[in-house]
Structure formats: structure tokens, C-alpha cells
């Protein structure tokens, strides 16, 4: 269901003195995957926020397999795990340019009304795009 790939290069600032990507940066890589997954459907975080919807992460799980290093060309593969209701869940794979699996992850986010801070159901315009 809804697979998207997005590639980017590791920047020097994302690494430690040994040129290895700091583990905390992987969450940002998976966020890139999620943002680009939405963008591929014609939806941006900004457009959702402009419509009064926030999408905070409520769960993040990462399994590290191998280190990414400075200047690696990485690809994050983002896949929707099921039809979203009040929550939306994604699985991720992060690979380098030779196809080695570096990390896998799973996130769960909740649709929230920006003005009340309360959970809401997935907007119809997102559900409609998933049916296309």
C-alpha cells in the first residue's frame, strides 16, 4: 500500500568525528521519507497545517543494522502499513547506494485538530488519494 522512495546524501554535519551518522539523525531521515510520501500524493505538511490538522509522531521504533557514513547516497523507502483512521502508520527501510540495508523503522502518527489538540479522523481528501 503506497510505497515511495526518496534519495539524499549524508551531510558532514550529520556525522561524528569518525564520519559515521549519529544515531539520532535517522529519525530525521525517516521524517524525510514520510514528508516525501505525502508530497508524492500531492499533500504537504504545510497544506495540512493550513487546514488545521497536525500530525505528531506518537511512536517511533528503529532497528539499526549497519552504519551510514559521510557522503553516502541513501534511499529511504516509505510504505503505508494500513488504511489510516485516527492514526497513520508507516514502515521504512533505509539503504545505501549499493543496496545494503542500514536500518528499518516503524512510526505511528495521529491526526490532531490544531485548534483543540484533540484527535480527529483521517481527512477524506487523504483517503480519496489512497484510493486512486
Amino acid at each position: 500500500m503506497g510505497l515511495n522512495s526518496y534519495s539524499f546524501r549524508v551531510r558532514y554535519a550529520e556525522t561524528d568525528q569518525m564520519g559515521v551518522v549519529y544515531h539520532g539523525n535517522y529519525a530525521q531521515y525517516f521524517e524525510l521519507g514520510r514528508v516525501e510520501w505525502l508530497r508524492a500524493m500531492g499533500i504537504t505538511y504545510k497544506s495540512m497545517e493550513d487546514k488545521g490538522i497536525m500530525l505528531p509522531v506518537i511512536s517511533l521504533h528503529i532497528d539499526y543494522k549497519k552504519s551510514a557514513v559521510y557522503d553516502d547516497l541513501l534511499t529511504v523507502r516509505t510504505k503505508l502499513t494500513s488504511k489510516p483512521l485516527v492514526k497513520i502508520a508507516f514502515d521504512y527501510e533505509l539503504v545505501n547506494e549499493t543496496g545494503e540495508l542500514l536500518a528499518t523503522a516503524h512510526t505511528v502518527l495521529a491526526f490532531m485538530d490544531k485548534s483543540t489538540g484533540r484527535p480527529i479522523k483521517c481527512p477524506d481528501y487523504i483517503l480519496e488519494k489512497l484510493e486512486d
Side-chain angles (χ1 to χ4, degrees):
M1 197 180 220
L3 177 66
N4 186 61
S5 294
Y6 179 73
S7 297
F8 56 95
R9 198 163 290 280
V10 173
R11 298 173 300 171
Y12 184 77
E14 296 167 346
T15 66
D16 61 20
Q17 289 181 335
M18 298 176 291
V20 174
V21 171
Y22 171 68
H23 74 277
N25 287 322
Y26 286 76
Q28 292 179 39
Y29 296 162
F30 299 125
E31 178 186 18
L32 273 173
R34 193 167 56 248
V35 166
E36 294 304 322
W37 181 89
L38 283 165
R39 190 180 310 279
M41 288 197 326
I43 300 166
T44 65
Y45 265 79
K46 178 159 178 25
S47 70
M48 286 196 314
E49 288 177 357
D50 289 346
K51 293 176 182 174
I53 299 167
M54 297 186 325
L55 201 56
V57 174
I58 59 173
S59 173
L60 166 64
H61 179 88
I62 301 173
D63 287 316
Y64 301 95
K65 311 290 186 189
K66 185 175 179 180
S67 297
V69 296
Y70 171 63
D71 207 40
D72 270 354
L73 180 62
L74 304 180
T75 299
V76 60
R77 298 179 190 138
T78 307
K79 183 178 182 189
L80 184 68
T81 62
S82 60
K83 183 179 175 182
L85 299 172
V86 173
K87 298 176 186 174
I88 187 167
F90 296 96
D91 285 334
Y92 309 86
E93 291 181 337
L94 186 68
V95 298
N96 62 18
E97 54 200 303
T98 63
E100 293 177 285
L101 183 62
L102 305 181
T104 59
H106 178 78
T107 59
V108 179
L109 298 89
F111 292 97
M112 303 280 287
D113 182 298
K114 191 174 180 179
S115 62
T116 66
R118 298 188 52 83
I120 57 173
K121 74 176 197 69
C122 178
D124 288 339
Y125 68 90
I126 294 177
L127 294 173
E128 290 166 7
K129 292 201 180 263
L130 290 173
E131 294 170 4
D132 292 344

